[in-house]
Amino acid sequence: MKNSIAVLNSIKGGLIVSCQALEDEPLHSSNIMMHMAKAALMGGAVGIRANSPNDCSEIKQNVDLPMIAIYKKVYGNCNVFITPTIEEVKKLLFINPEIIAVDATNRARPDGKILKEFFMEIKQVYRGLIMADVSNVEEGIEAEKIGFDIVSTTLCGYTNYTLDKPKPNIDLIKKLKEVLKIPIIAEGNVDSPENAVKCLDAGAYAVVVGAAITRPQLITKKFVDTINFTNKTTTN
């Protein structure tokens, strides 16, 4: 694992590709995600975001890029599922990821602990960078106050109090940039190169893109929907 300053320098101004496929998706396979990460490396990505110990391990062994590791785990009807407890963090440690990201929104955690308690637990077992996935400015400010190294806009539009916000939320990036000293990573519905550039221009330190690159079923649907809409409009 590279030192933290070197990691941050290596991702600055670049594209991080999120290589994830859930169990109900056609590309769900650690081997496939590893090859997806290889393709991202060939294309010029500066980092990889990946989910689960198996996927992260497979990628880490074969792709020489900094990794943002997460472990999605659903506990009952709790809405917090991105690396929600210390148990998920511990299961990522053997991979030696450069960054571990966790849900840092203002929502109840499955173990009932407040975010500061969870952060202190992580610091006891992990020496790398810790990233806060937030959904609004207030959560970003709190994350920096607690001691997080990076803030990401990952969850804007996915909490019940940000459902009406634009995706990607360029204004959120600008506001976070005004009040935070730590790096801000743009993530969440960055669906085009043009939007990625807008995020960087707004003050993002780096940009994470997932579905627009690594989920072919969604990419296909975008084309099909546009074609069908065009055909319908032409016919009428």
Side-chain angles (χ1 to χ4, degrees), residues 49-52 56 68-75 80-92 99-104 109-111 115 118 122 130-131 133 148 155:
R49 179 167 167 134
N51 170 46
S52 84
C56 291
I68 301 172
I70 65 172
Y71 188 5
K72 292 180 178 178
K73 180 71 177 293
V74 176
Y75 287 86
V80 173
F81 60 84
I82 297 178
T83 327
T85 77
I86 194 63
E87 296 308 313
E88 287 72 52
V89 171
K90 289 178 178 178
K91 289 176 181 177
L92 294 170
I99 303 168
I100 289 180
V102 306
D103 183 314
R109 312 193 68 81
D111 55 9
L115 183 61
F118 180 37
I122 299 172
I130 309 174
M131 186 165 86
D133 287 349
F148 280 88
L155 291 168

Side-chain angles (χ1 to χ4, degrees), residues 78-82 84 102-110 112-116 118 132-144 146 148 151-152 154-162:
C78 182
N79 291 320
V80 173
F81 60 84
I82 297 178
V102 306
D103 183 314
T105 60
N106 185 28
R107 298 183 292 183
R109 312 193 68 81
K113 293 176 181 174
I114 63 173
L115 183 61
K116 185 174 181 179
F118 180 37
D133 287 349
V134 304
S135 69
N136 60 25
V137 174
E138 293 74 21
E139 290 166 351
I141 293 172
E142 179 65 14
E144 182 178 62
I146 288 171
F148 280 88
V151 161
S152 172
T154 308
L155 291 168
C156 181
Y158 296 98
T159 56
N160 59 6
Y161 43 90
T162 62

Side-chain angles (χ1 to χ4, degrees), residues 15-18 20 49 68 72 82 131-135 151-159 162 165-173 176 184-192 195-196 198-199 204 206-213 215 218:
L15 171 68
I16 298 165
V17 176
S18 181
Q20 299 183 50
R49 179 167 167 134
I68 301 172
K72 292 180 178 178
I82 297 178
M131 186 165 86
D133 287 349
V134 304
S135 69
V151 161
S152 172
T153 60
T154 308
L155 291 168
C156 181
Y158 296 98
T159 56
T162 62
K165 301 300 181 182
K167 303 176 184 178
N169 192 338
I170 304 298
D171 189 52
L172 174 60
I173 298 169
L176 287 170
I184 301 146
I185 291 183
E187 181 175 8
N189 292 277
V190 183
D191 58 358
S192 69
N195 273 333
K198 287 180 182 178
C199 290
V207 180
V208 175
V209 176
I213 295 174
R215 284 195 161 103
L218 298 182

